Amino acid sequence: MTRDEYVSNVGWRLRDLTWSTRRDLLKELGAHLDELPADTDFRAQLGPPEAYAEDLRSAAGLERRRGPIAFLRARRPVYLILFTLALTVTSLAIGAVVWIDRYQPLVYGNATQFPPDSKPTPGAPGVTVVFRQGHPFLYGVTISNSGRFPVRILGIPRGVTDFFKARLYVNEPNPAENERPLERFRPFDLHPGQTRWLVLKGVYACTTGMTADGGGVIGETVPIRFSFLWRTETTFVPAQDPLSITFTRKGCPPGRDQ
Amino acid sequence: MDQAQLLKGVLELAVLAVIARGETYGYEILSTLESAGFDGVGDASVYGTLRRLEQAGHLESRLAASDSGPARKYYSVTASGAEQLQIGTETWSGINAAFGKLVEP
């Protein structure tokens, strides 16, 4: 057994001691072994490493230490610091990913534009409009960014109750309520505090592939496709006033007007 | 009776006595003890005792370069160590005298 092997073996059996105590004891043991003649059989001279460690522990009055605190104190401080740093950085990175994954700052902007011929729904919130195939259709909502970072608005995906063909329009940020100059939608960044109109303009049509029996409702929640950093998803922004579409005759067969 | 067990009881006092003769280091303390007849005491016991005495404030140490290898840790007795040695020596002498009376023919 070489000098280093002997020291290492003793050190292994004292691994529960604080790092500085173990370092001092092993340093002194190393110095002692260096004093011995070069051809010394350490095991024969000093006894087995486990016995040496026990004698040393007993004579020095060093009790065996157990538990998480002892485990931490037995580690080299610089390793503990590095480990803590790595743990902190990893935790922050995980926290950031989780936060980014949940970041959804879009809220209803407290204004809705309904089709011109809509009427308040009797006994329920929102308005009702009668489906008239080929007639003009218009529906718009405002959305706001209530968060601290901008998100990119990608559009409004089609829903199963979209009984219309329409194009999406958007206006400039933070318009006065009565001034809504619209332009064709292009994806845009909605910055914190900004509000914008998203308006669907087109005609009533049976384009959903769904046979409606009695009507459909849109606007309880508004689906908004958006992206933030690497994430793209559709969120459903709760709006206040739903738009109910009713039918004068039964159903709206799929592809009827395609 | 195992000599090592008997020696362990007085090892602390013996180590203090060796160091009280002058500043010295571990290997030299071991050699002095062996020359004096403490050859049944293990190296680990001596080094452990040195650490315990130092922790108790009876010894102080300093590192000094060595011609033959790494730095040596030199020990010297503090005032508290000297007092401990004096008390221990008196106690030991008392025990020795008492035991002598017991085994006198």
Side-chain angles (χ1 to χ4, degrees):
Chain A
M1 183 177 280
T2 65
R3 169 201 182 277
D4 290 345
E5 285 171 345
Y6 195 89
V7 173
S8 172
N9 266 275
V10 172
W12 173 250
R13 281 159 180 85
L14 299 176
R15 63 188 180 280
D16 57 299
L17 301 179
T18 62
W19 181 80
S20 57
T21 301
R22 193 171 71 242
R23 178 199 56 191
D24 292 348
L25 290 173
L26 296 182
K27 194 182 279 185
E28 201 160 25
L29 171 60
H32 177 63
L33 298 186
D34 290 336
E35 299 277 3
L36 298 175
D39 57 347
T40 301
D41 179 345
F42 298 123
R43 203 180 172 88
Q45 174 79 19
L46 304 172
E50 53 270 29
Y52 187 94
E54 279 312 306
D55 282 354
L56 191 60
R57 186 193 290 278
S58 165
L62 297 166
E63 290 180 3
R64 198 171 292 279
R65 303 161 68 92
R66 290 190 173 86
I69 302 295
F71 176 83
L72 290 176
R73 293 189 67 190
R75 309 275 83 79
R76 190 172 182 169
V78 67
Y79 293 157
L80 269 184
I81 291 167
L82 287 175
F83 176 75
T84 307
L85 272 176
L87 194 65
T88 305
V89 168
T90 306
S91 302
L92 286 174
I94 291 171
V97 168
V98 169
W99 181 83
I100 288 167
D101 206 45
R102 290 183 178 176
Y103 184 65
Q104 197 296 90
L106 300 176
V107 294
Y108 177 56
N110 290 322
T112 306
Q113 187 178 20
F114 294 110
D117 51 350
S118 57
K119 294 174 182 172
T121 306
V127 300
T128 300
V129 69
V130 177
F131 177 89
R132 288 180 182 169
Q133 189 170 331
H135 283 233
F137 173 81
L138 181 144
Y139 176 75
V141 292
T142 49
I143 56 165
S144 299
N145 184 341
S146 63
R148 298 174 65 183
F149 300 96
V151 291
R152 190 156 187 81
I153 305 298
L154 303 175
I156 295 181
R158 296 220 57 174
V160 292
T161 54
D162 292 351
F163 296 104
F164 49 80
K165 277 183 179 177
R167 286 186 168 169
L168 185 59
Y169 291 82
V170 67
N171 68 343
E172 290 301 307
N174 299 331
E177 187 145 345
N178 296 325
E179 296 173 11
R180 300 194 289 269
L182 298 173
E183 56 187 44
R184 282 288 297 274
F185 177 85
R186 285 198 187 93
F188 63 90
D189 290 333
L190 187 62
H191 292 275
Q194 281 186 347
T195 299
R196 279 198 175 191
W197 278 96
L198 292 176
V199 179
L200 289 160
K201 285 175 75 174
V203 293
Y204 291 99
C206 295
T207 59
T208 64
M210 172 182 170
T211 301
D213 188 5
V217 177
I218 63 173
E220 284 179 315
T221 59
V222 182
I224 307 286
R225 191 87 177 143
F226 77 100
S227 66
F228 178 62
L229 298 177
W230 60 80
R231 219 180 104 222
T232 298
E233 72 169 60
T234 300
T235 186
F236 293 86
V237 176
Q240 286 175 346
D241 299 312
L243 169 65
S244 301
I245 300 176
T246 60
F247 294 84
T248 53
R249 56 184 165 72
K250 192 175 180 184
C252 185
R256 181 180 171 128
D257 59 351
Q258 308 257 325
Chain B
M1 184 173 281
D2 185 1
Q3 188 195 14
Q5 288 300 318
L6 279 174
L7 292 178
K8 270 186 182 175
V10 75
L11 182 60
E12 187 175 309
L13 205 54
V15 167
L16 273 175
V18 172
I19 301 171
R21 293 156 71 174
E23 190 183 55
T24 182
Y25 57 96
Y27 186 74
E28 199 171 60
I29 295 167
L30 268 165
S31 304
T32 308
L33 286 170
E34 280 176 17
S35 310
F38 285 79
D39 49 357
V41 178
D43 299 11
S45 298
V46 173
Y47 280 103
T49 302
L50 284 169
R51 178 172 178 82
R52 187 153 48 81
L53 288 169
E54 190 178 17
Q55 294 287 308
H58 300 323
L59 295 179
E60 56 190 7
S61 66
R62 66 177 180 89
L63 282 175
S66 155
D67 298 335
S68 60
R72 287 171 175 157
K73 192 174 182 182
Y74 281 84
Y75 293 92
S76 55
V77 174
T78 61
S80 137
E83 187 183 353
Q84 188 73 13
L85 177 60
Q86 189 184 345
I87 295 168
T89 305
E90 287 166 7
T91 307
W92 176 251
S93 301
I95 292 170
N96 194 31
F99 184 73
K101 287 178 192 165
L102 286 177
V103 295
E104 269 176 10

